[in-house]
Amino acid sequence: AQTVTQSQPEMSVQEAETVTLSCTYDTSENNYYLFWYKQPPSRQMILVIRQEAYKQQNATENRFSVNFQKAAKSFSLKISDSQLGDTAMYFCAFTRGGNEKLTFGTGTRLTIIP
Amino acid sequence: DAGVTQSPTHLIKTRGQQVTLRCSPKSGHDTVSWYQQALGQGPQFIFQYYEEEERQRGNFPDRFSGHQFPNYSSELNVNALLLGDSALYLCASSSIGFEQYFGPGTRLTVT
């Protein structure tokens, strides 16, 4: 069974600064997908970024980027130039792909301070 | 193009009652997955429906059942409600090989 661990329950950072959220996972699979989801107080789970395990290049989406270390089974999210709207719960998630279920971590509550 | 919709937004039930939650997938999606998110936790996978059949199931008791209709919409039924069933229930839709898109959730409170 796959497990996903987020060891930072809460983080806070000043607006415009950079913050990194950590995630580690455990799997015996060689091919899989990793995601970061954002859940603001509105409760809507929003996909932030995805990474395919077979790709060596780290994914980037505007201010969001990941550091994917396959051998270490680590998948961190970096948010640059943080904005007040980034305040939310952030969940790391794993799937074997092919429409398989998502396995989530316990989340990191991120607060951006004005 | 409407995204994933869920109804109702929230509801309150009493222990022992039964509840039905509904989900309409994003246009073009044929697969619906249900997740339970307890307060302060990450979502836990309940089950997934594809072609009107349960395709995968997580570690949830038989009190949790579902259905998918020919138009791909889905229902989640929970019988004999327990206090521990209080949670946010999330529906996600997808198509084979693509990301899961989530609805806004239904907040269930069992008293």
Side-chain angles (χ1 to χ4, degrees), chain A residues 34-58:
Chain A
L34 295 163
F35 304 89
W36 279 98
Y37 280 90
K38 169 185 177 181
Q39 188 177 40
S42 66
R43 309 180 325 202
Q44 184 93 37
M45 194 75 77
I46 301 165
L47 178 63
V48 174
I49 198 166
R50 65 177 277 174
Q51 174 78 44
E52 293 88 343
Y54 63 85
K55 290 187 177 179
Q56 293 186 340
Q57 186 173 6
N58 289 324

Side-chain angles (χ1 to χ4, degrees), chain B residues 46-47 57-65 82 85:
Chain B
I46 302 174
F47 44 54
R57 189 178 183 91
N59 188 25
F60 279 80
D62 292 343
R63 298 187 297 109
F64 289 77
S65 63
L82 304 174
D85 295 332

Side-chain angles (χ1 to χ4, degrees), chain B residues 61-100:
Chain B
D62 292 343
R63 298 187 297 109
F64 289 77
S65 63
H67 188 76
Q68 186 178 35
F69 299 93
N71 67 353
Y72 307 119
S73 66
S74 177
E75 289 183 348
L76 164 65
N77 300 293
V78 186
N79 295 322
L81 284 167
L82 304 174
L83 295 178
D85 295 332
S86 295
L88 178 67
Y89 288 85
L90 295 167
C91 167
S93 74
S94 57
S95 188
I96 290 293
F98 291 86
E99 293 98 347
Q100 296 186 24

Side-chain angles (χ1 to χ4, degrees), chain B residues 38-52:
Chain B
L39 195 62
Q41 299 295 316
Q44 298 290 317
F45 175 74
I46 302 174
F47 44 54
Q48 183 184 84
Y49 277 84
Y50 171 69
E51 292 189 339
E52 302 180 50

